[in-house]
């Protein structure tokens, strides 16, 4: 049994203008100790997915499907059981540490709070654990008395990681943890996350728009577009030889060190992801796809085997490029 199993998950927001689908039928599994990267442009549903895993979305969100953590369905848990799972079973690192931390509370007190709620430790043990966590993420224990504004962006992100580790969770969800940091600090934070996950055998779901970062950090990659996973497989294969045109476009957007061609002719992808409230027919990527076929606006392919332990939702990996499925649907 996998540590985390997501089965046909949909998340729909209720708005004044009608229902808006943000996540559409997503399924994946994460094994104990595994690192899975979830990539995609802004607006593809990545953060909604991250928040859905711990039921942190607003009341306007409606869920269907299953999210099984250690065999229990997150979506049917009582509030009491859900509070016990958050932090102690699974924790989250948000992308904006300054917005996530309490500006008027010392960071030591914020790290100590989940320990106090989820354990029977004494105050002396909590203070000692807080200092150990700070030192574990590269900050001196004395900084426990600092306020968030007294720390740099990288230091605040380290505090968020310390909080995520406070109750020894089995799973950490990292939602764009380095987006607001400069390149040097980003590299330090990524190295820190990777080493801590490896040392403690924690499973990691890391979310980013940067496919190259995920390829360096994770075992497997999943590429998300318009609320669905359109490609999934080993990290090196997805980054180096993506089978879905969207995966290839994401990988090509980042110049490779030592490759003059990619540096001098950076590639991008025209346009933006579709409005979730007004999705195109057929394959949602076909209006932007450089490899689209005439029937791509009619067939909406789901994940299909696409090589060694990989899957892609594209007509180009389907037998006869999906023509038989189009004929069947038209009959």
């Amino acid at each position: 049994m996998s540590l985390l199993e997501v089965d046909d998950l949909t998340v729909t927001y209720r708005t004044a203008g009608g229902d808006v689908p943000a996540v559409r039928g997503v399924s994946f599994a994460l094994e104990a100790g595994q690192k899975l990267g979830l990539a995609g442009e802004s607006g593809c549903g990545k953060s909604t997915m991250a928040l859905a895993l711990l039921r942190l979305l607003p009341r306007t969100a409606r869920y269907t499907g299953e999210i099984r953590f250690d065999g229990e369905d997150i979506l049917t848990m009582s509030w009491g059981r859900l509070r016990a799972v958050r932090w102690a079973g699974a924790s989250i690192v948000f992308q904006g540490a300054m917005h996530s931390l309490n500006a008027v509370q010392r960071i030591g007190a914020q790290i100590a709070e989940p320990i106090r709620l989820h354990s029977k430790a004494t105050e002396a043990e909590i203070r000692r654990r807080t200092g150990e966590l700070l030192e574990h993420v590269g900050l001196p224990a004395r900084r426990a008395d600092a306020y968030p504004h007294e720390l740099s962006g990288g230091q605040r992100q380290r505090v968020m990681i310390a909080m995520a580790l406070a109750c020894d969770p089995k799973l950490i969800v990292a939602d764009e943890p380095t987006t607001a940091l400069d390149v040097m600090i980003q590299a330090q934070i990524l190295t820190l996350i990777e080493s801590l996950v490896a040392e403690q055998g924690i499973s990691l779901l890391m979310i980013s728009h940067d496919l190259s970062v995920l390829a360096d950090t994770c075992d497997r990659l999943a590429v998300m577009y318009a609320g669905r996973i359109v490609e999934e497989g080993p990290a090196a294969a997805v980054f180096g030889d993506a089978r879905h045109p969207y995966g290839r476009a994401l990988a090509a957007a980042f110049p490779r060190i030592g490759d003059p061609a990619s540096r001098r002719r950076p590639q991008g992808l025209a346009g933006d992801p579709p409005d979730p409230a007004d999705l195109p027919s057929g394959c949602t990527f076909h209006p932007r796809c450089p490899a689209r076929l005439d029937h791509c606006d009619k067939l909406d392919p789901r994940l299909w085997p696409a090589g060694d332990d990989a899957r892609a939702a594209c007509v180009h990996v389907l037998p006869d490029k999906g023509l038989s499925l189009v004929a069947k649907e038209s009959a």
Side-chain angles (χ1 to χ4, degrees):
M1 181 179 65
S2 301
L3 177 66
L4 177 68
E5 296 176 280
V6 177
D7 185 18
D8 197 24
L9 176 68
T10 67
V11 179
T12 304
Y13 292 107
R14 295 186 296 273
T15 71
D19 289 349
V20 177
V23 174
R24 305 182 301 127
V26 168
S27 300
F28 66 88
L30 184 61
E31 306 298 327
Q34 189 178 43
K35 296 172 290 184
L36 173 66
L38 185 61
E41 296 168 283
S42 296
C44 287
K46 307 186 303 300
S47 291
T48 291
M49 169 65 68
L51 296 173
L53 294 179
L54 290 172
R55 268 169 60 188
L56 294 170
L57 290 169
R59 293 184 179 181
T60 54
R62 184 172 66 247
Y63 307 83
T64 64
E66 293 184 335
I67 303 172
R68 292 185 295 275
F69 178 73
D70 245 359
E72 296 183 79
D73 190 354
I74 294 285
L75 299 183
T76 60
M77 283 181 180
S78 66
W79 281 110
R81 178 59 185 150
L82 184 60
R83 287 188 60 173
V85 168
R86 290 172 177 168
W87 294 113
S91 59
I92 188 166
V93 178
F94 296 102
Q95 58 182 294
M98 192 61 190
H99 302 294
S100 302
L101 294 171
N102 188 328
V104 297
Q105 192 174 36
R106 299 181 194 276
I107 62 168
Q110 298 185 60
I111 296 172
E113 183 176 3
I115 304 173
R116 188 173 290 114
L117 289 173
H118 291 279
S119 75
K120 297 179 180 179
T122 65
E123 287 302 310
E125 291 171 334
I126 291 173
R127 285 194 298 272
R128 183 168 60 252
R129 173 66 173 158
T130 299
E132 289 173 351
L133 286 165
L134 285 171
E135 291 180 350
H136 208 43
V137 297
L139 291 174
R142 66 177 183 276
R143 298 313 301 271
D145 291 331
Y147 288 97
H149 72 272
E150 297 177 309
L151 304 177
S152 69
Q155 289 173 328
R156 287 193 293 267
Q157 203 63 44
R158 289 172 186 268
V159 171
M160 291 295 297
I161 295 170
M163 290 176 65
L165 294 169
C167 298
D168 297 318
K170 296 179 180 179
L171 168 67
I172 289 179
V173 178
D175 184 15
E176 307 245 20
T178 61
T179 296
L181 306 177
D182 64 61
V183 175
M184 294 299 292
I185 301 301
Q186 173 179 276
Q188 294 174 18
I189 295 298
L190 290 172
T191 300
L192 173 64
I193 292 174
E194 192 172 8
S195 63
L196 291 174
V197 166
E199 288 171 10
Q200 301 185 29
I202 300 171
S203 297
L204 173 68
L205 176 62
M206 179 174 283
I207 296 171
S208 178
H209 62 275
D210 191 331
L211 201 64
S212 62
V213 164
L214 296 177
D216 286 339
T217 307
C218 299
D219 308 315
R220 297 183 66 81
L221 292 182
V223 178
M224 199 166 183
Y225 187 79
R228 281 187 183 161
I229 291 178
V230 297
E231 183 159 10
E232 190 267 336
V238 174
F239 184 61
D241 186 24
R243 300 299 305 278
H244 194 286
Y246 182 61
R248 288 198 295 271
L250 285 183
F254 302 97
R256 291 173 171 80
I257 295 175
D259 181 4
S262 68
R263 186 180 72 249
R264 294 169 185 165
R265 292 190 298 275
Q267 301 178 48
L269 183 63
D272 298 301
D275 182 348
D278 186 24
L279 295 172
S281 61
C283 172
T284 52
F285 184 60
H286 87 265
R288 305 171 71 194
C289 182
R292 63 181 175 269
L293 302 175
D294 290 341
H295 57 281
C296 285
D297 63 341
K298 303 178 181 67
L299 185 62
D300 186 11
R302 300 301 176 93
L303 289 170
W304 191 268
D308 188 18
D309 199 22
R311 299 180 299 163
C314 180
V315 296
H316 287 282
V317 302
L318 292 169
D320 67 9
K321 298 193 183 296
L323 288 171
S324 60
L325 292 179
V326 173
K328 183 178 179 180
E329 291 186 2
S330 301

